[in-house]
């Protein structure tokens, strides 16, 4: 095979490592030593942890519904912002004298920022990740005792702030519902007053009174019909009595002027007969059309009975005139006429007065009835309008009442929930793992730092060896001669050493190996010591 095309083998790499062993070892052990010293000098920090459980309320939600609807995760984020506020962290820094080395060259704002970096709030989710069941509060500091104390204060502030926040939110909800309830009660009272005033103003026109108004109207119309009939009968009676009185007066005047024995003129008995004949003819005509109980038939029959009774009375009262003397006969006739017609005329006039009073009474009743009928009809006409107005007012009142009832129930539920929060029986935080006193530091991880130093030293050594090999112009292999010289290589002469040089070379190698081993053991021991040191 042509030497110019020879590939490097492991022996070539071993020769390079052997030749540059001190460069590789120097870089390796220097970086390892620096990493070990750096890990030993790195500031130690301890972490104290507390586990806080989010407990649900003891009373089932079926009995008392909570009025704080914010989820535990959202509430935890809000509480974290409050607990980690600048004023509270500054109070903790002053109380425990934290970060004394940084206080000299950092302002208060940056110190608070440093403390925020050292505080972690880690939620502990359930398997499904839907709800927050617990969370961890972690604080990292140079002193394990101070880390524990500060973590304890932070845990207490988280618990107190959570309880106060839930209580304040619950009280605020209850206060809001109380204010809304007062407004709803006022609105309901106003609507109730409007409804009562409407009912009072429109009494008799309301839909519930329509049937009663109809019955009242029917009754009034019946009364009006009866009063009209009574008025007609009274007026007919008045006409009849007036004609009877006129007949009595004419009969009296005629009796006073008649001569003795002359009876050819009209007499009251003749007037009565004519009247009876007219009533009988009228009664016959009415009976041909109506039944015997028809009002006009009954009225005419009553009048006919009265005239017939009057005729019998007139016939019984009529006496024959004496014939001895003419003057005495005329006077006797006049007296007889006065005796027979006087009481009848007085009775008729008395009955006329009574009939006039009856007519006036019936007219007054008819006027009142017509007025009441008009009022009732007006109320009936207004009933549909009042029904619509009443429906609007009733709907407004019902809506206000429903709103009041709804707010009342919500307010009572919210008051129960607030009482539950004040008694610390609602959702709350409970410490199940108090802040721990750390025994081992969480930083630095010395083993990782040392291993990283060894890895960095090895990488640096290999880089230095590669750099020296690339810059070294020494010809060591045959291929190097072929690349450097255009002429062919005639011979190769090996290195010749004396026995003393060989022995010295051997002991130097043994010393180098021993030094390497001792340095490696020392470095490893120091690394183990530093990594295990507290």
């Amino acid at each position: 095979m042509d030497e110019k095309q020879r590939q490097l083998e492991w022996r070539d790499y071993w020769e390079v490592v052997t030749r540059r062993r001190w460069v590789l070892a120097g870089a390796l052990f220097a970086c390892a030593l620096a990493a070990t010293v750096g890990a030993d000098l790195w500031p130690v920090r301890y972490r104290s942890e507390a586990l806080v459980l989010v407990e649900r309320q003891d009373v089932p939600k079926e009995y008392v519904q909570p009025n704080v609807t914010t989820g535990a995760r959202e509430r935890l984020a809000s509480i974290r912002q409050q607990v980690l506020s600048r004023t509270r962290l500054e109070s903790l820094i002053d109380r425990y004298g934290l970060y004394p080395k940084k206080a000299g060259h950092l302002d208060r704002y940056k110190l608070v920022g440093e403390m925020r970096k050292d505080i972690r709030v880690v939620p502990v989710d359930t398997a499904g990740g839907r709800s927050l069941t617990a969370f961890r509060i972690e604080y990292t500091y140079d002193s394990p005792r101070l880390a524990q104390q500060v973590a304890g204060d932070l845990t207490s502030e988280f618990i107190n702030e959570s309880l106060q926040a839930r209580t304040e939110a619950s009280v605020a909800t209850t206060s809001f519902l109380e204010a809304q309830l007062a407004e709803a009660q006022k609105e309901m009272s106003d609507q109730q007053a409007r409804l009562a005033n409407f009912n009072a103003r429109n009494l008799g026109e309301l839909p519930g009174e329509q049937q009663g108004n109809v019955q009242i109207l029917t009754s009034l119309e019946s009364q009006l019909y009866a009063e009209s009939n009574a008025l007609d009968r009274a007026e007919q009676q008045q006409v009849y009595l007036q004609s009877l009185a006129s007949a009595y007066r004419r009969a009296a005047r005629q009796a006073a002027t008649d001569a003795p024995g002359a009876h050819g003129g009209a007499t009251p008995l003749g007037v009565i007969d004519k009247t009876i004949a007219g009533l009988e003819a009228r009664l016959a005509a009415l009976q041909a059309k109506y039944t015997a109980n028809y009002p006009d038939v009954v009225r005419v029959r009553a009048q006919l009975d009265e005239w017939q009774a009057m005729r019998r009375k007139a016939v019984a009262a009529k006496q024959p005139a004496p014939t001895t003397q003419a003057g005495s006969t005329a006077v006797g006739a006049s007296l007889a006429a006065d005796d027979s017609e006087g009481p009848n005329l007085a009775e008729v006039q008395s009955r006329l007065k009574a009939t006039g009073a009856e007519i006036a009474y019936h007219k007054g009743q008819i006027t009142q009835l017509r007025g009441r009928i008009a009022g009732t009809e007006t109320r009936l006409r207004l009933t549909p309008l009042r029904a619509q107005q009443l429906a609007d007012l009733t709907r407004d009142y019902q809506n206000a009442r429903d709103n009041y009832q709804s707010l009342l129930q919500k307010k009572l539920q919210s008051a129960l929930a607030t009482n539950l929060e004040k008694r610390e029986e609602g959702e709350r935080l409970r410490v199940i793992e108090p802040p721990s006193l750390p025994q081992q530091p969480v930083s630095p991880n010395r083993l990782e730092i040392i291993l990283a130093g060894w890895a960095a030293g090895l990488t640096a050594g290999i880089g230095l060896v590669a750099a020296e090999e690339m810059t070294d112009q020494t010809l060591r292999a045959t291929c190097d001669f072929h690349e450097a010289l255009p002429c062919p290589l005639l011979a190769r002469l090996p290195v010749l050493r004396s026995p003393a040089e060989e022995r010295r070379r051997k002991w130097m190698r043994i010393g180098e190996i021993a030094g390497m081993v001792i340095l490696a053991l020392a470095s490893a021991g120091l690394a183990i010591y530093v990594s295990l040191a507290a």
Side-chain angles (χ1 to χ4, degrees):
M1 181 182 292
D2 189 358
E3 291 184 353
K4 292 183 179 180
Q5 298 178 355
R6 186 178 68 85
Q7 298 294 327
L8 294 177
E9 298 179 356
W10 67 271
R11 293 184 182 87
D12 299 324
Y13 290 108
W14 178 251
E15 288 179 1
V16 172
V17 172
T18 304
R19 188 169 54 250
R20 306 291 183 183
R21 59 188 177 276
W22 286 111
V23 176
L24 182 61
L28 176 63
F29 289 114
C31 290
L33 181 60
T36 303
V37 174
D40 185 57
L41 297 178
W42 197 294
V44 180
R45 295 177 65 79
Y46 298 88
R47 178 179 296 164
S48 179
E49 298 180 355
L51 182 60
V52 181
L53 178 67
V54 180
E55 288 187 333
R56 306 301 176 188
Q57 69 179 30
D58 297 333
V59 181
K61 292 184 179 180
E62 290 77 9
Y63 298 104
V64 178
Q65 190 70 22
N67 59 354
V68 180
T69 58
T70 307
R73 191 182 300 275
E74 292 79 6
R75 192 167 63 255
L76 177 61
S78 175
I79 294 173
R80 184 179 184 277
Q81 295 296 327
Q82 297 180 15
V83 173
L84 300 185
S85 62
R86 183 176 61 85
T87 55
R88 296 196 180 185
L89 294 185
E90 285 182 351
S91 176
L92 290 175
I93 291 173
D94 296 336
R95 185 186 309 166
Y96 294 105
L98 304 177
Y99 308 100
K101 296 179 181 179
K102 297 180 180 180
H105 59 277
L106 293 179
D107 56 13
R108 303 283 289 180
Y109 183 79
K110 293 183 178 179
L111 279 180
V112 170
E114 290 292 327
M115 188 171 184
R116 285 199 184 104
K117 294 178 182 178
D118 295 332
I119 299 174
R120 292 182 62 206
V121 180
V122 183
V124 179
D125 295 331
T126 58
R130 296 182 179 178
S131 61
L132 180 68
T133 58
F135 62 92
R136 292 185 180 276
I137 300 176
E138 301 176 355
Y139 179 65
T140 305
Y141 192 64
D142 300 341
S143 170
R145 180 63 63 181
L146 287 178
Q148 182 187 31
Q149 293 176 352
V150 174
D153 287 354
L154 290 174
T155 303
S156 299
E157 289 191 10
F158 264 89
I159 294 175
N160 294 334
E161 189 64 32
S162 174
L163 179 61
Q164 183 178 359
R166 282 189 62 89
T167 302
E168 289 178 354
S170 180
V171 170
T173 302
T174 303
S175 300
F176 171 76
L177 289 175
E178 288 177 350
Q180 294 296 314
L181 182 64
E183 294 180 2
Q185 186 176 12
K186 182 178 181 300
E187 177 66 20
M188 183 183 68
S189 299
D190 293 342
Q191 294 294 339
Q192 188 175 11
R194 293 191 190 99
L195 185 60
N197 292 334
F198 178 83
N199 291 333
R201 289 196 312 269
N202 301 284
L203 189 64
E205 301 174 3
L206 301 178
E209 300 173 338
Q210 183 176 11
Q211 186 63 31
N213 288 332
V214 171
Q215 295 177 357
I216 292 174
L217 180 61
T218 303
S219 175
L220 291 176
E221 289 177 346
S222 299
Q223 295 179 26
L224 178 63
Y225 179 76
E227 291 293 334
S228 298
N229 290 335
L231 177 62
D232 291 342
R233 290 193 299 270
E235 288 177 346
Q236 291 177 4
Q237 181 71 16
Q238 184 182 37
V239 171
Y240 158 69
L241 292 175
Q242 287 175 351
S243 63
L244 182 61
S246 299
Y248 278 141
R249 291 190 186 94
R250 286 195 303 271
R253 287 194 297 272
Q254 184 66 30
T257 56
D258 282 343
H263 302 287
T267 64
L269 187 59
V271 174
I272 292 174
D273 291 338
K274 292 179 180 180
T275 304
I276 291 174
L279 290 175
E280 288 177 349
R282 186 178 180 185
L283 179 61
L286 289 174
Q287 287 179 346
K289 296 180 180 181
Y290 306 105
T291 62
N293 295 326
Y294 189 73
D296 291 344
V297 175
V298 174
R299 184 177 66 255
V300 173
R301 183 182 292 112
Q303 293 176 0
L304 180 61
D305 293 340
E306 291 180 357
W307 279 98
Q308 289 176 350
M310 192 177 300
R311 185 180 184 285
R312 288 192 296 271
K313 184 177 180 181
V315 171
K318 192 172 182 62
Q319 297 294 332
T323 58
T324 55
Q325 294 179 359
S328 61
T329 302
V331 173
S334 176
L335 290 176
D338 291 338
D339 290 340
S340 62
E341 305 299 339
N344 294 330
L345 181 61
E347 180 181 357
V348 170
Q349 290 177 347
S350 175
R351 292 178 62 185
L352 273 174
K353 291 182 181 180
T355 303
E358 183 181 358
I359 291 173
Y361 170 77
H362 288 309
K363 286 182 178 181
Q365 291 295 317
I366 289 174
T367 302
Q368 293 181 3
L369 289 173
R370 286 177 177 172
R372 293 175 63 185
I373 288 173
T376 305
E377 290 177 346
T378 302
R379 290 195 295 270
L380 286 174
R381 285 194 301 270
L382 292 176
T383 297
L385 176 62
R386 301 299 183 230
Q388 181 62 37
Q389 296 174 347
L390 181 63
D392 294 339
L393 290 175
T394 304
R395 183 180 62 253
D396 294 340
Y397 170 71
Q398 189 64 36
N399 292 336
R401 185 173 179 274
D402 293 342
N403 184 36
Y404 173 78
Q405 293 293 336
S406 176
L407 288 174
L408 179 61
Q409 293 297 326
K410 292 178 181 178
K411 183 258 179 183
L412 294 177
Q413 290 290 336
S414 181
L416 288 176
T418 301
N419 189 27
L420 202 68
E421 293 294 339
K422 290 181 178 180
R423 296 174 60 181
E424 300 184 9
E425 295 181 1
E427 184 178 284
R428 60 190 180 273
L429 304 181
R430 183 169 64 88
V431 179
I432 58 176
E433 290 183 9
S436 60
L437 180 63
Q439 302 299 325
Q440 298 293 331
V442 293
S443 67
N445 191 334
R446 291 190 173 98
L447 181 59
E448 291 182 358
I449 295 174
I450 293 172
L451 292 177
W454 281 83
L458 181 60
T459 304
I462 294 174
L464 290 175
V465 169
E468 288 187 359
E469 285 293 322
M470 290 170 53
T471 58
D472 191 0
Q473 300 298 324
T474 304
L475 301 176
R476 293 186 175 86
T478 304
C479 61
D480 296 336
F481 283 93
H482 287 295
E483 294 176 357
L485 301 174
C487 58
L489 181 64
L490 298 177
R492 289 185 298 180
L493 297 176
V495 178
L496 299 175
R497 296 184 179 90
S498 64
E501 289 177 345
E502 287 293 338
R503 287 192 300 271
R504 188 169 52 253
R505 181 180 175 82
K506 180 181 179 180
W507 283 108
M508 287 182 65
R509 289 180 178 177
I510 294 174
E512 288 178 357
I513 294 173
M516 288 286 186
V517 172
I518 293 172
L519 186 59
L521 292 176
S523 299
L526 181 61
I528 293 173
Y529 173 76
V530 172
S531 62
L532 295 179

